[in-house]
Amino acid sequence: MTDRFPDEPAPEPAAEHGPEAAARPSAESAEEPVLEPIVEHAAEGPLEDMADNPAEMRAHYRAEGLDESSLAAHPMDQFARWFKQAAQAAVQGMIYEPNAMVVSTADADGRPSSRTVLLKQYDEQGFVFYTNYDSRKAQDLAVNPYVSLLFPWHPMARQVIVTGTARRTGRDETAAYFRTRPHGSQLGAWASEQSSVIYSRAELDAAYAELSARYPEGSQVPVPPHWGGFRIAPQTVEFWQGRANRLHDRLRYVAEPNGTWRVERLSP
């Protein structure tokens, strides 16, 4: 199965260590139209007039349904299908950064935290993102590898919810991805002591300026030893499709001990 690297920050999936998307036959086999919801307000007036009353903000969906018979056999094939459509929606201006996902972790005491991170690769082994290994999420994962991912493609009335376990990527894989990053992003990985308290923005800018002088454009920036990837091996993958009257379609793949997947329908 071909690895995919969604470009940074471009919205389309890309081939292994390269800028172009890698097509898979299974992802092409069941094309579906890009769908979007109709939004109707429960009260008259623009949304900003309802800011003090979120209960008045309602979206009524007209999306077509999601049926078991239309699913791919493997959840990552189904994800590839939906991700391609989300990337197409991004080209049309419907979605910004379709590879943005909410990563939720918990520390050793079970206290949760969430943040938005960019997906950088996906394949049959799972989902990959990169981060500072001293960050809060990485510290959480060091003591509690269970993690949840959420892809919130609201304009398409779709969500993908993943639960699984995280492990670090190998250094060779990390280095290969790091060298595809823009020069400024490479320097940023060194300049930022992610999640630590800093005195001011000027402190961060000064660190970046020093690194820019040390590694000018065109020079090779070494991979920070405290920076790398996590691969999330999915245990469940839920595909959520908004439907009318809040009767949404929720189909969840569940990993079986023998390596196969079963699909179950959840009540909305």
Side-chain angles (χ1 to χ4, degrees):
M1 184 174 295
T2 304
D3 293 347
R4 299 166 187 79
F5 290 85
D7 289 341
E8 183 179 5
E12 298 190 15
E16 183 172 7
H17 311 321
E20 298 298 326
R24 341 172 22 166
S26 56
E28 300 285 346
S29 59
E31 294 297 330
E32 302 171 20
V34 173
L35 304 174
E36 56 182 317
I38 292 178
V39 179
E40 298 175 355
H41 303 315
E44 295 184 359
L47 279 175
E48 56 265 27
D49 293 344
M50 301 182 225
D52 294 331
N53 189 5
E56 294 297 325
M57 298 179 180
R58 296 189 178 93
H60 296 266
Y61 304 112
R62 67 171 182 184
E64 294 181 8
L66 180 63
D67 187 77
E68 288 85 343
S69 63
S70 68
L71 292 181
H74 196 285
M76 299 309 295
D77 288 327
Q78 183 65 31
F79 179 82
R81 224 178 256 177
W82 272 27
F83 187 78
K84 179 179 179 180
Q85 292 164 10
Q88 292 169 343
V91 172
Q92 298 167 9
M94 287 174 54
I95 295 176
Y96 181 71
E97 291 190 317
N99 59 324
M101 57 184 182
V102 178
V103 177
S104 298
T105 58
D107 63 17
D109 296 321
R111 291 172 295 199
S113 60
S114 299
R115 74 288 294 162
T116 301
V117 175
L118 295 181
L119 173 72
K120 290 302 173 184
Q121 179 189 353
Y122 64 95
D123 56 27
E124 65 181 358
Q125 302 302 316
F127 305 83
V128 176
F129 68 88
Y130 291 87
T131 189
N132 187 310
Y133 285 147
D134 295 326
S135 65
R136 178 175 178 177
K137 58 184 168 296
Q139 291 178 4
D140 283 355
L141 293 173
V143 296
N144 181 357
Y146 295 101
V147 62
S148 175
L149 311 177
L150 168 64
F151 293 86
W153 298 325
H154 300 310
M156 300 173 69
R158 285 179 173 176
Q159 302 179 71
V160 179
I161 305 102
V162 179
T163 64
T165 55
R167 71 178 190 275
R168 291 187 180 191
T169 58
R171 293 311 292 172
D172 288 346
E173 183 177 357
T174 292
Y177 168 70
F178 186 80
R179 294 190 182 100
T180 70
R181 302 186 92 203
H183 181 72
S185 297
Q186 293 179 349
L187 297 180
W190 280 100
S192 173
E193 298 179 9
Q194 196 174 99
S195 300
S196 66
V197 177
I198 59 176
Y199 179 73
S200 68
R201 173 74 195 200
E203 178 183 340
L204 183 63
D205 291 339
Y208 184 88
E210 179 182 346
L211 287 160
S212 296
R214 187 186 310 172
Y215 302 108
E217 188 78 41
S219 62
Q220 181 167 308
V221 181
V223 181
H226 56 271
W227 188 93
F230 281 101
R231 174 171 281 100
I232 311 305
Q235 296 174 336
T236 69
V237 185
E238 178 186 338
F239 293 87
W240 183 101
Q241 177 69 71
R243 298 290 302 276
N245 304 314
R246 297 297 187 265
L247 299 179
H248 313 305
D249 285 325
R250 300 176 60 192
L251 298 181
R252 181 171 65 184
Y253 292 80
V254 180
E256 299 281 27
N258 64 359
T260 63
W261 295 84
R262 76 172 189 271
V263 174
E264 54 192 17
R265 177 174 286 271
L266 303 179
S267 181

